[in-house]
Amino acid sequence: MTPDDRHSTPQAGIVPAGAPRKGGSLWYAEIAIAVLVAAWGGMLGTLLLALGVRILAERSGARSFAPSLGAAAAGFALAALLLGLEALPATIVPVCAGVAIAVLMWARRATVLAVSITVAVCAILGLVVDGVSLASQGLDVTQAMPALLVEASRLYAGTSIQGDLVVAAAEPIFRAVWPFVYVMTALIDVGMAGLGSFWGAQRGAPGFASQQGMPPARMPKIARFDAPLWAVVLLAASIVGIAVAQAMGNGAELLLAASVTLLLSVRFIFALQGFGVLFGLMDRWRLGCFIRAVAIVIAVWLEAMFLLSIVGLVDVWANFRKLPRNDARTEAQDK
């Protein structure tokens, strides 16, 4: 065989190790098992679901979505058979988060706005699921959730006089922040889905453009994160809502809870902005690994007092990292 013959014969060509491969019927079974794990209550199920959906999308493109949803439906049926119908409602949010994030990241559309909408939708779904479940028992979710948080704090603080004082002081806070529990749950699900989807990209087409022409997946750089301006609008709206609820008094508990939840939720965007400033400065100063680790630990401690979020908010205007504002806001996403 001559060199020309060797080049003209596809079977004899060199296939890069890790190039995307066809097939993947076992990954559909993995998706069904992932739904079962999610129904059982493990966050691992969300990660595995996004992993399977992303791998199949990298190998087969958008035509894999319908079979993936069918595999997820089979997982629901399996969960109903093994765990009972009562396990299905709690599975809706993890499955929605896993599928949505995997699809967004595969399409290279996991922008701050898209991910934020996904978190909001998942949080609302979780609230609706619990609301329907509690309503069937004659309970109101707006009363049951604060009471649950109060009881959890009572178990932590104890039954002493000092513990009772702590619980009494914390009860108004719980009545204002209880919807944020659903936001945190949705954030965890979305985060696990993002991790699974990124691993799926490495497993499905590691370092290669996908067969559908998508560029290779790469890890987003937090040092390039730039908060969108609509986050400032939401921050202002939450502050106005809190002020109005305080002025209205006891009749505006739902408005206060919604405004506080919005404030705490949008705070994550500005916290990322603050960490982006920190990482950008560390890159500029070329700090070593040990100093970076110490700086990150201190920054996490400072964020407990909202200091990094404040830095991020100021950076929206100050632009400490001198980012080009025309395209920097597209950097903090999975490409």
Side-chain angles (χ1 to χ4, degrees):
M1 179 181 292
T2 66
D4 291 336
D5 294 333
R6 191 175 293 113
H7 282 291
S8 63
T9 306
Q11 290 80 0
I14 298 176
V15 179
R21 299 176 296 276
K22 292 287 186 180
S25 58
L26 290 178
W27 287 108
Y28 291 114
E30 187 268 353
I31 290 175
I33 295 173
V35 173
L36 177 61
V37 173
W40 181 63
M43 293 183 295
L44 181 63
T46 309
L47 185 149
L48 293 176
L49 176 62
L51 173 71
V53 173
R54 182 67 182 274
I55 287 176
L56 291 169
E58 291 291 338
R59 294 181 178 180
S60 304
R63 65 176 179 270
S64 69
F65 294 155
S68 295
L69 291 177
F76 273 104
L78 188 61
L81 180 63
L82 298 179
L83 303 177
L85 292 176
E86 62 275 7
L88 297 185
T91 316
I92 296 176
V93 173
V95 170
C96 290
V99 172
I101 292 299
V103 172
L104 285 172
M105 292 179 68
W106 169 79
R108 299 345 185 232
R109 292 293 183 269
T111 61
V112 179
L113 177 61
V115 173
S116 298
I117 291 175
T118 303
V119 171
V121 170
C122 289
I124 293 172
L125 278 176
L127 178 59
V128 170
V129 168
D130 280 359
V132 172
S133 177
L134 291 171
S136 65
Q137 305 173 37
L139 300 175
D140 185 354
V141 67
T142 62
Q143 301 298 323
M145 282 302 299
L148 180 63
L149 294 175
V150 169
E151 289 303 316
S153 66
R154 193 181 303 279
L155 291 175
Y156 177 78
T159 57
S160 63
I161 296 177
Q162 184 177 4
D164 291 339
L165 292 175
V166 171
V167 172
E171 186 172 357
I173 299 176
F174 292 144
R175 294 192 178 280
V177 304
W178 67 266
F180 188 63
V181 173
Y182 294 98
V183 177
M184 282 300 301
T185 302
L187 275 171
I188 293 172
D189 285 329
V190 167
M192 295 296 288
L195 183 60
S197 179
F198 186 78
W199 284 352
Q202 303 306 305
R203 180 68 174 81
F208 291 87
S210 70
Q211 300 180 43
Q212 289 69 44
M214 298 293 184
R218 61 178 175 84
M219 182 69 72
K221 296 180 179 179
I222 191 172
R224 298 286 297 171
F225 181 86
D226 206 11
L229 292 178
W230 55 260
V232 181
V233 177
L234 292 181
L235 177 65
S238 66
I239 295 174
V240 170
I242 292 173
V244 171
Q246 292 288 347
M248 293 177 61
N250 294 332
E253 291 184 355
L254 288 180
L255 176 60
L256 178 62
S259 300
V260 171
T261 299
L262 179 60
L263 175 64
L264 294 176
S265 301
V266 77
R267 167 256 182 120
F268 282 103
I269 296 178
F270 294 110
L272 282 176
Q273 180 93 346
F275 277 101
V277 172
L278 174 64
F279 277 74
L281 292 176
M282 289 192 298
D283 289 343
R284 182 185 304 174
W285 296 336
R286 299 181 179 180
L287 299 181
C289 295
F290 178 76
I291 301 298
R292 284 174 180 262
V294 173
I296 292 172
V297 171
I298 295 175
V300 171
W301 178 73
L302 291 175
E303 178 52 24
M305 297 178 284
F306 293 85
L307 291 185
L308 265 292
S309 297
I310 295 173
V311 171
L313 178 61
V314 174
D315 183 61
V316 172
W317 290 277
N319 195 8
F320 297 121
R321 294 162 290 171
K322 307 302 182 202
L323 296 177
R325 294 294 190 181
N326 57 336
D327 61 354
R329 286 186 171 87
T330 65
E331 284 291 331
Q333 56 183 302
D334 181 269
K335 292 295 184 182

